[in-house]
Amino acid sequence: KIDTGPVERNQVRGGKCPLFIWNSERIGNVASSFGLERIVVGVRHPVLFFQSFYNYRVTNFPQGRRQKNRELQHPPPPESLVGQQNQWEDVSTYSAQYEQALKGLASGDSLPLSSLKFFLYTAEQLEGGASKLFRNSLKDFLGLQRPIEAIGHANKNDALERKLPYVMDICEERYSDLRDLLIQNAIDTSRFLLSEFINGKNVQVGD
């Protein structure tokens, strides 16, 4: 949901939507209608991303919707979610191929996307010794005056610890082929990010 209310002086407004970057048309519409100027893109190791996204979908749907939707009551086995054609609630190995979503967004070839600025970071930068340096670079990118406080994993999913039904532990032997595929796909993702995306004229990489 986009907040279209008035913005007070010196106030910066934003929203969080992990699937937003997969829809360039929607990004363009939001940029035109609501003055979207900057997009912060966080990436994560694809193996951990797949596990986290699958477990999130399994455990975070409203109970009413789960009762009405058989697929949510009995989610498919993770190892079956291979490729773009085999997605379940947007979860598949294709979801971890970030380059498919990012291609063209920062190329500057089309308006209004050409006016957008991108900030790229990895999930590991949110915590640890380099976190303060990262937060300073993000503050500058967003044009903020005040320092950004420490950012933790506020929505950390503890499904594994609680041993809820259907959650996956991707380190289990049964997922070895799935892990191998995710890592193999990550080679192309890494190549695109390092050789093309970060060299875009409107892209800044978090320190």
Side-chain angles (χ1 to χ4, degrees):
K1 181 179 179 180
I2 301 295
D3 180 6
T4 59
V7 178
E8 297 182 7
R9 183 178 180 183
N10 297 326
Q11 183 182 42
V12 176
R13 181 170 57 196
K16 175 187 176 184
C17 182
L19 298 176
F20 190 54
I21 62 171
W22 287 93
N23 193 329
S24 59
E25 181 179 355
R26 183 182 180 193
I27 292 176
N29 291 338
V30 173
S32 299
S33 301
F34 303 110
L36 177 68
E37 298 177 351
R38 303 175 181 88
I39 295 181
V40 179
V41 179
V43 296
R44 190 178 188 183
H45 191 290
V47 173
L48 297 178
F49 169 82
F50 185 95
Q51 173 184 266
S52 177
F53 197 16
Y54 182 85
N55 288 343
Y56 173 81
R57 288 305 201 202
V58 166
T59 60
N60 283 270
F61 276 100
Q63 187 64 26
R65 182 180 172 193
R66 184 181 301 280
Q67 292 172 348
K68 295 178 182 179
N69 190 327
R70 180 177 176 81
E71 289 187 351
L72 290 179
Q73 294 180 47
H74 306 285
E79 57 267 48
S80 71
L81 302 177
V82 175
Q84 186 177 10
Q85 71 280 8
N86 293 313
Q87 297 188 54
W88 170 74
E89 295 295 327
D90 299 308
V91 181
S92 76
T93 56
Y94 185 78
S95 307
Q97 294 178 253
Y98 315 121
E99 79 280 6
Q100 301 298 332
L102 295 174
K103 284 179 179 177
L105 289 185
S107 64
D109 293 337
S110 60
L111 292 173
L113 297 182
S114 60
S115 61
L116 293 176
K117 296 180 181 179
F118 295 83
F119 182 94
L120 181 69
Y121 73 94
T122 66
E124 291 75 15
Q125 291 177 280
L126 294 176
E127 300 174 313
S131 174
K132 184 175 181 180
L133 186 62
F134 156 72
R135 285 183 278 122
N136 285 337
S137 62
L138 178 59
K139 176 181 75 72
D140 293 340
F141 173 78
L142 295 175
L144 303 178
Q145 299 300 317
R146 298 179 181 178
I148 297 177
E149 298 181 1
I151 305 172
H153 289 178
N155 62 341
K156 182 180 179 182
N157 193 319
D158 62 350
L160 280 176
E161 288 80 358
R162 290 188 287 156
K163 301 184 184 304
L164 296 176
Y166 300 109
V167 299
M168 69 176 300
D169 181 349
I170 204 166
C171 293
E172 292 179 1
E173 179 60 30
R174 62 178 281 195
Y175 301 124
S176 60
D177 290 343
L178 179 60
R179 293 194 302 271
D180 289 345
L181 176 59
L182 287 164
I183 292 173
Q184 182 63 38
N185 289 343
I187 295 175
D188 290 336
T189 305
S190 177
R191 183 179 296 118
F192 170 76
L193 291 176
L194 295 176
S195 65
E196 296 185 46
F197 187 74
I198 65 173
N199 294 319
K201 62 182 180 180
N202 294 335
V203 176
Q204 177 180 336
V205 179
D207 293 330

